[in-house]
Amino acid sequence: MQTVHGTIRLSVEGRILTIEGRGPWNLESIDLSVDSIGDDLRALYGAPWGALVMVEGDSILVPDAEARLIDVVRDDRDKGRLATALVLGECSVPGLVTQHLQEIYTAAGDVFQAFSDADDARRWLNARINAAG
């Protein structure tokens, strides 16, 4: 039996899915988070929306978790997801984590931008959502 590594908490506010977590993550943690959001996430589908990713720690994904997240984001893009804004908190290797996550999200076809402030990230996402909607 596999154990879940890392924590992920998902919430929806307006047209933004907020993903808060601490890595590293494995496949089980990605699957558990996808299963947990359910109806709240489905309410975003069909209109433009964005994802705000706020992470702490050395937030990297093992290869099978990377592949799963790419599939999830590709599927979300088909359902209206426009972009991902990253806010990286306390981390011992911020450049590596930012690059790692950027590679994952762009491999999924997502527009990605890193920010040092959550309010700036939300403004950027809302501007993209409003321009598309």
Side-chain angles (χ1 to χ4, degrees):
M1 180 176 169
Q2 294 289 338
T3 58
V4 174
H5 293 281
T7 61
I8 302 172
R9 186 174 43 147
L10 306 172
S11 61
V12 174
E13 184 177 331
R15 305 294 311 155
I16 296 176
L17 168 66
T18 300
I19 304 163
E20 298 175 86
R22 176 176 284 280
W25 297 289
N26 63 0
L27 179 61
E28 290 75 21
S29 62
I30 299 298
D31 285 341
L32 182 62
S33 68
V34 169
D35 293 343
S36 72
I37 191 70
D39 291 338
D40 290 336
L41 180 59
R42 283 188 285 281
L44 295 175
Y45 294 168
W49 60 280
L52 172 59
V53 178
M54 300 190 305
V55 295
E56 298 277 338
D58 296 333
S59 299
I60 59 172
L61 293 93
V62 297
D64 58 347
E66 281 183 34
R68 175 72 171 114
L69 183 55
I70 289 169
D71 289 342
V72 167
V73 173
R74 282 181 179 152
D75 185 54
D76 285 348
R77 292 207 36 93
D78 290 339
K79 297 173 181 168
R81 181 178 180 152
L82 297 175
T84 297
L86 171 70
V87 178
L88 184 59
E90 183 182 323
C91 174
S92 61
V93 287
L96 176 67
V97 170
T98 300
Q99 179 182 353
H100 174 71
L101 294 175
Q102 182 172 9
E103 288 172 359
I104 291 169
Y105 286 101
T106 56
D110 209 15
V111 176
F112 179 92
Q113 182 69 43
F115 295 87
S116 58
D117 179 80
D119 290 334
D120 290 342
R122 281 187 193 91
R123 279 190 285 278
W124 180 78
L125 285 169
N126 280 318
R128 297 189 72 83
I129 292 165
N130 292 336

